[in-house]
Amino acid sequence: MEVCKDVERQVEVLRRGAVDLISEAELKKKLERAAETGKPLVVKAGFDPTAPDLHLGHTIVMNKMKQFQDFGHDVVFVVGDFTALIGDPTGKNATRPPLTSEQIKSGAETYAEQAFKILDRDRARIEFNSSWLRPLGAEGIIRLAAKHTVARMLEREDFKTRFKGEMPISVHEFLYPLLQAYDSVALNCDVELGGGDQLFNLVIGRSIQKEFGQEPQVVLTTPLLEGTDAKMVDAKLAGNKMSKSLGNYVGITEPPGEIFGKLMSITDDLMWRYYELLSEIPLSEIGAMKTGCAAGTSNPRDAKARLGAEIVTRFHGADAGRTAREEFDRVFKKKEMPAEIREFSVNATDPKDLWLPRVMTAAALTASNSEAIRAINDGGVKVDGQIVKDKNTTLTPGEHLIQKGKIHFVKVIIGG
């Protein structure tokens, strides 16, 4: 694939949704050189193989990688199998436990397989940073450590907080940003991508590249995506970042109906944020939709359905996107039961197995008991058509239809 020669178009697309761009002038210069020479840029993003099921928050950086791919550049998916032995301390108030080799291997496989739902498999490189970090050996790591100071490390917010609070900081944690920076040296990286919380690490990459006589990489960071429960507070969008543990996530491997239903449940204000960060629709068209909804000439629900169908299509295909939208209309608008209701069997050998939140979690209606409790407290759970108000509710043997929200159903069959 040829490198795109329209530099202004590339800058416009790549800048969309970015938090930090250091610097736009450098990026433009690199893109111009690539257009003239036909040599693509080397664009990297690193991922610690912690084996989560990826959710939409994880995909923002990957979507940016895909944009670079579409413009003809080389993207490198760096699996941090060596740096995972340290554990990234970013945003942590305590030393993070390192992963085992088995966790690293399993996590790397999970990440790569799910990443290729977004990236073009044939035009992406996967590199394990152990291939260049392990050969450094003790001497090489000592020489690398000599290129940065403790004072600079303590400028990092999480280190600074722990230092002031007299909480432990292990020496090996200082190595993490340096080893991540050396990834950029090993790849002679032109651009490094990461979440906004990774800015410190990425900027160190620029300085370490200079130490090795390389042109410093451009740093482009993306925002942390708010969870599905975020809402406007004092004219600002507020809420926790998307997290599986908080139950406010949309997983990319979830069934199409689950993805669509979760996106239909978000607030209108959050919808426009998701459009900006997750959609491939041009900003001008999104702006026109937003204006129409504000003026009352368009229905926000239709805009939300368009977003839901786009996201489902991306991960499950066009047929799934269309079917999810039709099924939602049938259940939500026409108040009909779903065409198919999933069944789940419980063999209640222990009375605790009959506790409603536990049943909901086991049946994959919720990711955790705490998420189920929140749904019950919010009045969003029905059993056999009746709203459940008590989080301590237990079910009896037999068949029960459990509904969470407006479109999530499961028939639970409880045996004794």
Side-chain angles (χ1 to χ4, degrees):
M1 182 177 179
E2 292 186 0
V3 175
C4 177
K5 298 188 182 302
D6 188 342
V7 173
E8 294 300 328
R9 169 64 178 157
Q10 291 184 75
V11 172
E12 177 188 0
V13 171
L14 296 170
R15 189 173 49 199
R16 173 175 169 175
V19 175
D20 304 287
L21 179 52
I22 307 173
S23 69
E24 185 173 321
E26 292 179 36
L27 175 61
K28 188 172 182 180
K29 180 180 177 181
K30 287 176 181 282
L31 292 172
E32 288 172 343
R33 185 170 61 214
E36 292 171 3
T37 64
K39 183 180 179 181
L41 301 183
V42 175
V43 181
K44 107 179 200 204
F47 299 88
D48 271 356
T50 50
D53 290 328
L54 301 188
H55 55 59
L56 292 182
H58 295 121
T59 69
I60 295 179
V61 169
M62 294 180 189
N63 290 339
K64 197 61 66 177
M65 294 175 76
K66 181 64 164 55
Q67 291 171 357
F68 274 102
Q69 271 193 329
D70 292 342
F71 288 131
H73 301 292
D74 293 337
V75 301
V76 186
F77 186 98
V78 179
V79 177
D81 62 326
F82 190 90
T83 42
L85 296 173
I86 299 173
D88 182 8
T90 297
K92 305 296 179 183
N93 291 323
T95 301
R96 176 173 161 178
L99 302 177
T100 65
S101 57
E102 291 77 15
Q103 288 173 317
I104 291 169
K105 182 176 183 297
S106 174
E109 292 172 353
T110 299
Y111 253 121
E113 191 57 38
Q114 295 185 30
F116 288 132
K117 290 181 175 290
I118 300 168
L119 302 176
D120 185 334
R121 185 186 296 265
D122 296 329
R123 294 192 295 114
R125 289 163 53 196
I126 296 181
E127 298 281 359
F128 289 77
N129 65 7
S130 61
S131 65
W132 54 76
L133 291 178
R134 188 164 285 119
L136 275 178
E139 181 179 350
I141 290 177
I142 289 171
R143 290 184 182 277
L144 178 62
K147 297 182 182 296
H148 211 66
T149 67
V150 171
R152 285 291 309 279
M153 283 295 182
L154 289 176
E155 291 175 5
R156 189 164 130 167
E157 196 59 38
D158 41 20
F159 287 151
K160 186 190 305 181
T161 299
R162 285 158 62 185
F163 183 72
K164 288 182 177 179
E166 299 183 355
M167 292 180 284
I169 303 173
S170 297
V171 173
H172 78 288
E173 293 182 84
F174 284 161
L175 294 176
Y176 190 98
L178 292 173
L179 294 176
Q180 180 176 334
Y182 191 77
D183 292 348
S184 296
V185 173
L187 295 168
N188 199 1
C189 186
D190 291 301
V191 180
E192 183 168 15
L193 308 174
D197 58 345
Q198 284 284 316
L199 179 61
F200 184 92
N201 291 2
L202 273 55
V203 170
I204 287 182
R206 286 171 57 86
S207 63
I208 295 299
Q209 279 183 303
K210 291 178 184 178
E211 292 282 347
F212 282 88
Q214 294 182 2
E215 180 179 86
Q217 65 190 10
V218 167
V219 167
L220 192 156
T221 67
T222 57
L224 302 178
L225 187 67
E226 293 85 354
T228 54
D229 54 354
K231 57 189 67 176
M232 295 296 286
V233 178
D234 296 330
K236 292 183 179 180
L237 192 62
N240 292 308
K241 71 176 183 178
M242 187 171 286
S243 167
K244 189 169 184 180
S245 63
L246 295 175
N248 63 355
Y249 69 102
V250 180
I252 70 173
T253 59
E254 289 189 275
E258 287 291 313
I259 294 176
F260 193 90
K262 285 183 177 183
L263 291 173
M264 290 299 295
S265 72
I266 64 177
T267 66
D268 294 348
D269 295 303
L270 184 59
M271 168 181 65
W272 301 119
R273 172 74 164 168
Y274 280 20
Y275 256 117
E276 177 190 2
L277 298 178
L278 300 171
S279 174
E280 295 180 355
I281 296 173
L283 288 176
S284 57
E285 191 172 342
I286 294 172
M289 280 195 291
K290 189 174 183 179
T291 299
C293 289
T297 56
S298 300
N299 192 324
R301 186 184 62 230
D302 294 333
K304 211 173 290 183
R306 181 178 180 182
L307 174 66
E310 179 186 359
I311 299 302
V312 170
T313 297
R314 181 174 306 159
F315 299 114
H316 291 283
D319 288 344
R322 183 169 52 254
T323 300
R325 184 166 185 171
E326 291 171 353
E327 181 72 357
F328 181 87
D329 286 345
R330 215 169 65 78
V331 175
F332 183 77
K333 290 183 179 179
K334 300 178 182 179
K335 309 298 182 184
E336 298 176 7
M337 295 292 289
E340 296 182 7
I341 298 179
R342 181 169 55 88
E343 293 187 358
F344 178 78
S345 297
V346 176
N347 186 18
T349 57
D350 186 327
K352 293 179 181 178
D353 295 334
L354 298 176
W355 183 43
L356 179 58
R358 178 171 290 190
V359 173
M360 291 175 63
T361 302
L365 270 179
T366 54
S368 64
N369 293 345
S370 58
E371 181 187 345
I373 291 170
R374 284 195 295 271
I376 292 170
N377 290 339
D378 290 340
V381 176
K382 292 182 180 179
V383 175
D384 299 327
Q386 300 298 314
I387 295 176
V388 177
K389 299 179 180 180
D390 184 0
K391 67 179 181 181
N392 295 313
T393 296
T394 58
L395 301 179
T396 57
E399 293 187 4
H400 298 280
L401 181 64
I402 303 178
Q403 179 181 352
K404 182 176 77 72
K406 294 178 179 175
I407 64 169
H408 304 297
F409 296 82
V410 64
K411 180 189 288 185
V412 174
I413 304 170
I414 299 177

